[in-house]
Amino acid sequence: MGALVPLTRPGWVEAGRHLLAGLELAVGEVNDAGGIGGRPLELMVRDTAADPRRAEAAVDELAQLGVAAVAGEYHSVVARAAAARADALKLPFLCSSAVLDALTEEPTEWVARLSPPQSHGWRVYADFLLDAGHSRIAVATEPSVYWASGARILRDHLAPRGGTVVELDARALTPAAVCDALVEHRATALLLLVGFPEPAVSIVRSVRRDQRLTSTMIGAPAGQPEFAEWATSLGGDSAAIPFLRYLPGRLGPLGARVATALRERLSEAPSFVAFEGYDTITVLADVLRSHGTDRARIAASWPHVAVEGTRGQIRFSRTPGISVWQWARTPVQVVDRDPAEPGRFRIRHAG
């Protein structure tokens, strides 16, 4: 099994570490239970470093090495490149944690995905904003297909409900100028559609210290505050910044057991990305047991998957506007860090 994971900069290394922990934990459990047909499951890990070209090269290499399927990836733009290459090579790819709707340009039978489409998760986030009384939204953004898609989803969902979205170019504006723009546009919420640590950290600190913006909410729908590095970088400023994560309100027995094992492996609380990694291998192991290692048979199995994962039963279906086989019932939450205890998360909204 091939695995694509961002393990070096400029990739989000902490996300990659959690994704890999989930993948490796599940592989270990599969092998402890006898493997696949008596043979151990081997994970061939390749570091994408958030580079689409590097991901494409890794898919080529893994295909030549004879893997049955490829799994993983966190960054949406990288996953899109990997999915396109896997589709061209007729190599099954189960995407763990990337949400960009257009994962492939055309519908494909070769790619399935566990994480929800961006259009679903970010609409849930937009509903949270409206419920919290925010209709004048500013987004600090950098050039990226992913950020542009997110801004468009927010604008299209908020506009019919009386909401407005103004885009602030984080490349052209200093953090202080972002604060001035928030005042000028009378925005009540600022969403960070930018890279971490910079410029995200500097923007958060500037807004938090601007006396004109004491009631302005900061949000990070892409999920940066999920990881400990966010809290380490921002300290007390890391709290009360709502973000999207893909966990249920309460884990079932399997999820609770896996959470304990992941905590031991990571020496910290597992993120939702670690659960995505575990569920990826759980699905693929079930497919391999039932359908063997032939690539075409694996791809043909996506609509027949019915596997109990850590976050609920996983089934794939065709979702309108989505080109890959999609788990349509991924749990979605809007969560933030509790100001009284930044290590604890508060569920603010569920969709």
Side-chain angles (χ1 to χ4, degrees):
M1 191 75 63
L4 305 177
V5 187
L7 295 175
T8 55
R9 297 290 186 189
W12 189 287
V13 175
E14 192 172 9
R17 187 170 67 88
H18 279 236
L19 178 58
L20 184 58
L23 293 166
E24 290 182 336
L25 175 64
V27 167
E29 292 184 359
V30 168
N31 290 336
D32 288 345
I36 307 296
R39 298 171 59 190
L41 181 61
E42 180 184 356
L43 198 64
M44 304 180 72
V45 179
R46 297 295 182 269
D47 173 21
T48 65
D51 184 339
R53 291 185 297 275
R54 190 162 168 172
E56 290 171 346
V59 172
D60 286 341
E61 179 198 3
L62 292 165
Q64 292 171 1
L65 290 172
V67 298
V70 174
E73 194 45 50
Y74 172 77
H75 297 284
S76 282
V77 175
V78 180
R80 184 177 63 165
R85 195 70 192 130
D87 179 52
L89 296 173
K90 294 182 168 49
L91 175 63
F93 174 39
L94 179 52
C95 180
S96 303
S97 190
V99 301
L100 196 65
D101 279 30
L103 206 55
T104 56
E105 292 295 330
E106 301 293 335
T108 176
E109 301 296 322
W110 294 94
V111 182
R113 173 166 57 187
L114 287 174
S115 48
Q118 188 180 18
S119 57
H120 173 59
W122 287 50
R123 282 198 297 262
V124 170
Y125 196 93
D127 287 337
F128 158 73
L129 291 172
L130 292 172
D131 289 349
H134 299 289
S135 59
R136 300 182 67 86
I137 313 299
V139 295
T141 186
E142 293 179 307
S144 163
V145 171
Y146 175 65
W147 297 132
S149 173
R152 183 178 63 254
I153 292 164
L154 292 168
R155 183 180 295 106
D156 290 349
H157 193 67
L158 289 168
R161 296 159 179 81
T164 60
V165 176
V166 59
E167 293 192 37
L168 308 177
D169 187 345
R171 296 174 308 164
L173 299 175
T174 66
V178 168
C179 293
D180 292 339
L182 292 175
V183 174
E184 177 186 351
H185 292 286
R186 293 182 290 116
T188 63
L190 169 67
L191 306 187
L192 302 172
L193 276 56
V194 295
F196 176 86
E198 291 300 334
V201 168
S202 294
I203 292 173
V204 170
R205 285 177 174 157
S206 291
V207 173
R208 292 289 202 221
R209 284 154 181 71
D210 193 314
Q211 294 301 309
R212 301 170 297 172
L213 302 173
T214 54
S215 61
T216 301
M217 189 204 85
I218 305 174
Q224 299 98 319
E226 170 80 2
F227 297 101
E229 188 179 354
W230 175 271
T232 301
S233 297
L234 282 162
D237 288 337
S238 67
I241 298 178
F243 63 93
L244 286 165
R245 74 172 180 180
Y246 310 124
L247 288 175
R250 182 185 298 274
L251 292 169
L254 173 61
R257 179 184 67 76
V258 170
T260 299
L262 286 169
R263 181 183 287 271
E264 293 176 357
R265 180 176 287 262
L266 291 162
S267 299
E268 63 183 4
S271 70
F272 69 86
V273 179
F275 290 96
E276 289 175 324
Y278 184 94
D279 285 344
T280 300
I281 296 300
T282 300
V283 168
L284 287 171
D286 183 78
V287 168
L288 291 171
R289 292 189 189 103
S290 301
H291 300 274
T293 59
D294 179 77
R295 292 174 179 175
R297 293 186 65 189
I298 291 171
S301 75
W302 298 136
H304 308 294
V305 165
V307 175
E308 193 63 31
T310 59
R311 300 164 296 147
Q313 188 176 65
I314 298 169
R315 295 178 179 269
F316 297 115
S317 60
R318 286 299 192 185
T319 301
I322 306 301
S323 59
V324 302
W325 288 99
Q326 178 69 52
W327 183 22
R329 301 186 65 85
T330 312
V332 178
Q333 301 173 340
V334 178
V335 177
D336 69 1
R337 291 179 176 270
D338 188 341
E341 187 182 344
R344 189 177 77 86
F345 294 109
R346 307 181 297 183
I347 298 176
R348 304 287 302 276
H349 186 82

